[in-house]
Amino acid sequence: MAIQLVFALLSVCGIAGIVQQCDAWILSRNKATVRYSSWVFFTTELKIGPQQLGEFEVLAVDENFKVSRKVALLDYSSPQSSPIPFHIAWDWQKQLLDRHVKRMMSTTKDNSESSQFLLSPREEEEVHGVDTVFMLEHDAVYTLGTGSDEKYILGINEMVPVVRMDRGGEVTYHGPGQLTVYPILDLRGYRQDIHWYMRALEEAILLALAKVGISRAERQEDVTGVWVDNCKVAACGVKVKRWVTMHGLAVNVEDSSLRNFQGIVPCGLDGRSVGCINQFIDEPITVATFATYMKEALEEVFEIQLIPIEDNLQ
């Protein structure tokens, strides 16, 4: 059976406004069987279509295997942490992606692939990358995809820098008061389905919002992200290379997160509103508080344990 390399490109747009790109080895023209660790995954046709294609399904992970699913957590969402410039976090993601690729190309003594999961809290990751989740706030920045139209930058706030990056979609905003989460995950340990992954990120957001008392949050047809009372409070989008994810999700938490959306037409969607968590709850919370609920939700959805570690990124 011939091996064929398929490059799939899917664009999404929202607060995170990030390109989805996947290059994956598959067997035959449209089906694949991939054996990884103790699991066997079966993927069907790699469909690229409407943003809402696919549904979230709970992962069926054996309880005995679940304890070994430790994922590194780099948490910069605490009050003691400063907002991180966008280009720095982007460089960190690229470094971790490169480490995953190195891991895939190396083997252990028994000729098996090194684990994508964290073996110990102090494990060095210079050579062998493991699944990692970043949580942070950014300095204020507008980001453009490779084909974004600059007409959606309204020029109201010329103090906010503009960065063109490797994603699809139109202009979006990141800044203080917004929790941004970047999971760098090898999807072979979860499900090799980009659409499932997008829905899983949305599911984690919905769970986290429910934990802070927002039960009416929802998905909307034909658009990614999570909405409350027809206001978009969160969005997600990913870039995937060799089944390793980059970018992730962003949730507007504090009122300050909305300050600079007035300078753009978010995602080029005229007439659509953005909102933040604190508009819909009685007692305002901070980004750091919401990050604790987001951590719990990610652990539930992806059947993992997030282990705080010290980073060795440059």
Coordinates of all heavy atoms in Angstrom, one line a residue, residues 140 142 156-161:
A140 N -0.5 44.0 24.3 CA -1.5 44.4 23.3 C -0.8 44.2 21.9 O 0.3 44.7 21.6 CB -1.9 45.8 23.5
Y142 N -2.2 43.4 17.5 CA -3.1 43.0 16.4 C -2.3 42.0 15.6 O -1.2 42.3 15.2 CB -3.6 44.1 15.6 CG -4.5 45.1 16.3 CD1 -4.2 46.5 16.1 CD2 -5.5 44.8 17.1 CE1 -5.0 47.5 16.8 CE2 -6.3 45.7 17.7 CZ -6.1 47.0 17.6 OH -6.9 48.0 18.2
I156 N -7.9 53.2 14.8 CA -8.4 54.0 15.9 C -7.3 54.0 17.0 O -7.0 55.1 17.7 CB -9.6 53.4 16.5 CG1 -10.8 53.6 15.5 CG2 -10.0 54.0 17.9 CD1 -12.1 52.9 15.9
N157 N -6.5 52.9 17.1 CA -5.4 52.9 18.1 C -4.1 52.5 17.4 O -3.8 51.4 17.2 CB -5.8 51.9 19.2 CG -4.8 52.0 20.4 OD1 -3.7 52.6 20.3 ND2 -5.1 51.4 21.5
E158 N -3.4 53.6 17.1 CA -2.2 53.3 16.3 C -1.0 52.9 17.3 O 0.1 52.7 16.8 CB -1.8 54.6 15.5 CG -2.8 54.9 14.4 CD -2.5 56.1 13.6 OE1 -1.4 56.7 14.0 OE2 -3.2 56.4 12.7
M159 N -1.3 52.9 18.6 CA -0.2 52.5 19.6 C -0.1 51.0 19.7 O 0.9 50.5 20.2 CB -0.6 53.1 20.9 CG -0.6 54.6 21.0 SD 1.0 55.4 20.5 CE 2.0 54.8 21.9
V160 N -1.1 50.3 19.1 CA -1.0 48.8 19.2 C -0.3 48.3 18.0 O -0.6 48.6 16.9 CB -2.4 48.2 19.2 CG1 -2.4 46.7 19.3 CG2 -3.2 48.7 20.4
P161 N 0.8 47.5 18.2 CA 1.6 47.0 17.1 C 0.8 46.0 16.3 O -0.1 45.3 16.8 CB 2.8 46.4 17.7 CG 2.4 46.0 19.1 CD 1.4 47.1 19.5

